[in-house]
Amino acid sequence: MVVDGCPPRLPLTEADIQRQLDRRRPGQSHLTTDRNEADTVTILSGTENGLTLGTPIALLVPNKDHRPGDYASLKKVPRPSHADYTYQIKYGIRASSGGGRSSARETIGRVAAGAVAEKFLRERFGVEIVAWVSSVGEVDAPEINVAFIDRATVDLSDVRCPHAESAERMTAEIVQVKAAKDSMGGVIACVCRNVPAGLGEPVFGKAEALLAQAMLSIPATKGFEIGSGFAGARMRGSAHNDPFVPKDGRLGTLTNRSGGVQGGITNGEPIVFRVAFKPPATIGQAQDSVDFDGEPVTLEAGGRHDPCVVPRAVPIVESMTAMVLADLALIQSLRR
Ligand SMILES: Cc1cc2nc3c(=O)[nH]c(=O)nc-3n(C[C@H](O)[C@H](O)[C@H](O)COP(=O)(O)O)c2cc1C
């Protein structure tokens, strides 16, 4: 992947990027796909002596553990709820294994580039972005304190839920669903702290609109809500409004149902949002469907697949967030 537009003289080494790639990589625990990739990144250009040059940064992560033969049985059959049918209709041809560009393998680029954006945000503003798994299937973790949650706490469990009891129940669910050759969905919550007020462009480039677009571009996402989200639709204004209060020499808000964004512009409060992920489509269980010719088939997909994508999608959500905020910060820096 190539990251263009990164400011010069930013300290950046492979270690900054590798940390997040390790949290995304397949085969990291018994809750993910059994495919095992090291996903080791090399910086090919754009830095010298550990500093960015301001020129494009090229990053390379090789594939190692691929088995194209696993997909032979899928050649004539579009997987229900995957992208085989739509890619075929769009291009009249498609990659013969692993979903090609619709495979979540492409999210390596997002995570590597996001790590660069995150380094910029941290160095320049002290921004902290932390995502975690807030539900898996029907198991909901209780609300957590977004002021203190950190990645070390999130990573205490393989499922990446910081509430230990919920993490255990989520783990049991995923283990069960994997054994049953089925899959399940979940929700990732995310907080961004120390984001300067004033980021986000009126009308079409609103901070929450760009975050929603970024999140819904992640494979397998089905929903996005910021602040009070859909629950806000059930409330009255008198209960929903966030009263202003003096805070550290500026105006802050007492509550944060806005989720840190008002009028599409960050207000200096933590940005808080949630992203819903569906159960991944490729399952080993027998499914009745039809092949590309419309003939009935019973599909039992082979290959190695994630029973639930949310544990691995946590760094992807953080990375997409970092790219949106870094872009908005760079745009805002032109104004001052
Ligand atoms: C981290 C991650 C891992 C994924 N692993 C799988 C998988 O093993 N099998 C699968 O069918 N889909 C998997 N997906 C989802 C597919 O990439 C996605 O469903 C597909 O591209 C179709 O796009 P859509 O679901 O957004 O419509 C994964 C997604 C993410 C974010």
Side-chain angles (χ1 to χ4, degrees), residues 60-311:
L60 181 73
V61 179
N63 287 335
K64 295 226 167 82
D65 186 15
H66 40 80
R67 286 192 211 151
D70 281 352
Y71 295 87
S73 65
L74 298 174
K75 227 178 161 73
K76 293 198 171 73
V77 186
R79 284 170 293 174
S81 293
H82 211 288
D84 305 328
Y85 176 72
T86 48
Y87 268 61
Q88 185 69 35
I89 290 297
K90 184 173 179 66
Y91 298 106
I93 188 170
R94 70 183 199 287
S96 59
S97 73
R101 208 172 188 208
S102 74
S103 163
R105 197 81 189 123
E106 59 90 345
T107 60
I108 289 177
R110 299 166 185 256
V111 172
V116 178
E118 197 175 352
K119 189 76 195 277
F120 162 72
L121 290 167
R122 206 167 38 234
E123 293 272 319
R124 189 69 63 91
F125 308 104
V127 169
E128 295 171 338
I129 302 170
V130 183
W132 65 95
V133 171
S134 62
S135 78
V136 162
E138 299 283 333
V139 182
D140 292 318
E143 290 267 309
I144 63 145
N145 189 336
V146 298
F148 299 114
I149 184 70
D150 60 22
R151 287 188 190 167
T153 310
V154 171
D155 285 355
L156 285 176
S157 67
D158 287 339
V159 74
R160 295 209 162 88
C161 171
H163 183 255
E165 193 195 314
S166 307
E168 256 179 53
R169 289 172 55 210
M170 291 173 181
T171 303
E173 291 271 329
I174 298 175
V175 166
Q176 202 179 24
V177 106
K178 189 175 180 181
K181 297 185 177 178
D182 209 343
S183 66
M184 67 195 309
V187 175
I188 292 180
C190 184
V191 60
C192 317
R193 295 184 292 252
N194 305 329
V195 178
L199 306 191
E201 299 300 302
V203 189
F204 300 118
K206 292 179 176 178
E208 76 255 58
L210 298 183
L211 284 170
Q213 194 204 355
M215 295 310 138
L216 294 177
S217 79
I218 300 173
T221 51
K222 280 290 175 215
F224 173 86
E225 52 178 9
I226 185 161
S228 59
F230 278 73
R234 298 175 184 272
M235 297 174 73
R236 304 247 166 130
S238 51
H240 189 269
N241 286 347
D242 296 318
F244 284 107
V245 287
K247 244 188 213 179
D248 312 323
R250 64 176 176 95
L251 286 195
T253 62
L254 196 58
T255 50
N256 187 19
R257 284 182 265 274
S258 303
V261 182
Q262 291 168 334
I265 298 171
T266 56
N267 64 0
E269 297 298 318
I271 300 175
V272 186
F273 62 85
R274 288 163 298 281
V275 189
F277 288 78
K278 74 181 194 182
T282 317
I283 53 174
Q285 265 186 28
Q287 296 175 85
D288 290 333
S289 187
V290 297
D291 65 14
F292 276 105
D293 298 324
E295 296 299 323
V297 286
T298 301
L299 182 67
E300 285 177 52
R304 298 159 294 172
H305 299 282
D306 286 282
C308 178
V309 305
V310 287

Side-chain angles (χ1 to χ4, degrees), residues 1-6 17 45-46 54-59 109 112-114 116-117 323:
M1 66 292 311
V2 174
V3 181
D4 206 352
C6 179
I17 301 165
S45 70
T55 51
I57 302 165
L59 306 165
V116 178
M323 282 190 275

